[in-house]
Amino acid sequence: MDVLRTANPVWVGSSELTMTLDGITACIDAGAGAVVAKSVNESAAARRQLDIAGYAFVSGDRRVRPTGSADLGDGLLNRSGLAQVELDEWLGVLAAAVEHGAPGNCPVLGSITLGDANAAARIGRAMAAVVPAVELNVGAPHGREARAVRQLTEVDAVHDAVRTVRAAVDVPLFVKLPGQASDVVALARAARSAGADAVGLVGRYPGFLPDLDGGAVLGSWGAWGSPACLPMSLYWVAKTRLALGPGTPLIGTNGARTAADVLRFLASGARAVEVVTALWIKGPGVLADLVAGVEAYLSGRDPEEFAGSALAGTRDYADIPPNPSPAWLPYTAPSGR
């Protein structure tokens, strides 16, 4: 990616795994191409929300797994908050992490989950003094439940927030967008027009799961990520690639658990892919498997040509010729029932 040089396209996304220097350095040492540090913002309420965090790994048949027995195919429903640290202390952590990652060409990014745009600009300006790039998350799924963070789903709101932060940040600015919006491509275009250097697609979705014994899993609403979200994430990556062109760097997120998933993001038009839940399940060591799998597949291929390659020949419905025989026949209900 021209905006930010990295060792490989397998990145670690912002999460509790990247909330400490030890966590960040573990990801660096395991082979991450880049690491996005845990998000912060100006709100004490957002930090307090971490005190009520909850996590439930959910199997394909909607059973909550016992602690420590999650599988890579599981979904994750969670309730979370932001890093509980003052900004000056956090800048010191980021500076140390950046220094640790530099020899292996693994940049460490600062991350801000939007609360107030002017406050985000002040934080971004301070971060830019110690990190090579800043991620602005305007798509936090918890923004629908927690007043301390915001989820922006309207074009003007995204444009205004990005423009405000862009004016204060003199390093590359990456903007992470929600998946639950009427037109994510329009949000990506707005972010770019306001100065975003790259766009992250897409954040997790709001979720809710009754436990059938009374109440709900986690006892609340939550944020949902899953391998089943992968085609939904790839839809917006592919559509944004087509609309904005290969000159817009896209970072995929939400759904990648295996090397094949990372490659599907790249084939859809992403230039890098953030993974989180696979590390929660398998530990940072899974990064070596992901990187090796991606590199093995791309060996002998031009990564630039592979990026977006799945879009070649992909057609709109109106341009698809009729099937030679009715494809829907196997899906009709059996007679007599």
Side-chain angles (χ1 to χ4, degrees):
M1 180 186 296
D2 293 338
V3 175
L4 187 69
R5 296 293 183 181
T6 68
N8 63 70
V10 182
W11 296 12
V12 178
S14 170
S15 75
E16 283 79 337
L17 286 168
T18 63
M19 194 162 59
T20 65
L21 180 58
D22 286 346
I24 296 171
T25 56
C27 293
I28 294 170
D29 294 344
V35 178
V36 184
K38 178 67 171 174
S39 292
V40 299
N41 76 6
E42 75 285 357
S43 172
R47 297 193 290 273
R48 287 195 300 270
Q49 190 177 313
L50 193 64
D51 294 332
I52 61 166
Y55 311 87
F57 288 97
V58 182
S59 67
D61 59 358
R62 266 65 68 193
R63 291 181 297 108
V64 176
R65 301 275 195 186
T67 301
S69 61
D71 182 84
L72 281 178
D74 291 347
L76 173 63
L77 183 70
N78 86 310
R79 186 178 56 241
S80 186
L82 303 188
Q84 294 182 328
V85 61
E86 295 300 324
L87 181 58
D88 286 346
E89 180 183 350
W90 189 234
L91 294 176
V93 170
L94 292 177
V98 168
E99 182 178 4
H100 189 85
N105 197 25
C106 177
V108 175
L109 284 67
S111 180
I112 306 164
T113 292
L114 185 69
D116 173 76
N118 290 317
R122 292 193 296 272
I123 295 170
R125 182 183 293 111
M127 282 184 174
V130 298
V131 298
V134 172
E135 178 186 86
L136 175 66
N137 184 1
V138 301
H142 301 295
R144 292 179 175 267
E145 311 304 326
R147 296 185 179 90
V149 297
R150 297 172 64 193
Q151 183 186 73
L152 304 184
T153 59
E154 301 298 329
V155 166
D156 290 346
V158 169
H159 184 275
D160 291 348
V162 174
R163 181 179 59 185
T164 297
V165 177
R166 171 77 282 172
V169 173
D170 59 2
V171 297
L173 177 66
F174 298 175
V175 177
K176 187 173 181 180
L177 298 174
Q180 192 178 51
S182 60
D183 189 348
V184 176
V185 174
L187 300 185
R189 185 178 286 111
R192 281 286 280 175
S193 69
D197 295 285
V199 178
L201 301 162
V202 289
R204 289 176 299 149
Y205 297 89
F208 180 75
L209 186 65
D211 63 16
L212 299 187
D213 291 325
V217 173
L218 299 182
S220 74
W221 323 100
W224 175 251
S226 161
C229 293
L230 183 65
M232 301 158 69
S233 301
L234 298 181
Y235 177 91
W236 288 120
V237 170
K239 286 288 190 177
T240 303
R241 165 82 174 209
L242 286 172
L244 275 61
T248 296
L250 305 178
I251 301 152
T253 184
N254 191 3
R257 302 283 178 86
T258 68
D261 294 338
V262 172
L263 289 162
R264 289 185 175 100
F265 265 112
L266 300 179
S268 298
R271 304 298 295 274
V273 182
E274 292 181 10
V275 293
V276 172
T277 310
L279 279 72
W280 284 21
I281 295 170
K282 296 291 188 180
V286 75
L287 286 167
D289 296 333
L290 296 178
V291 172
V294 170
E295 291 181 345
Y297 186 87
L298 293 179
S299 178
R301 293 178 169 88
D302 183 347
E304 294 294 328
E305 291 183 3
F306 184 75
S309 58
L311 303 179
T314 301
R315 293 173 287 190
D316 291 335
Y317 285 8
D319 298 326
I320 298 173
N323 294 310
S325 61
W328 49 266
L329 283 177
Y331 301 98
T332 58
S335 59
R337 293 187 183 179

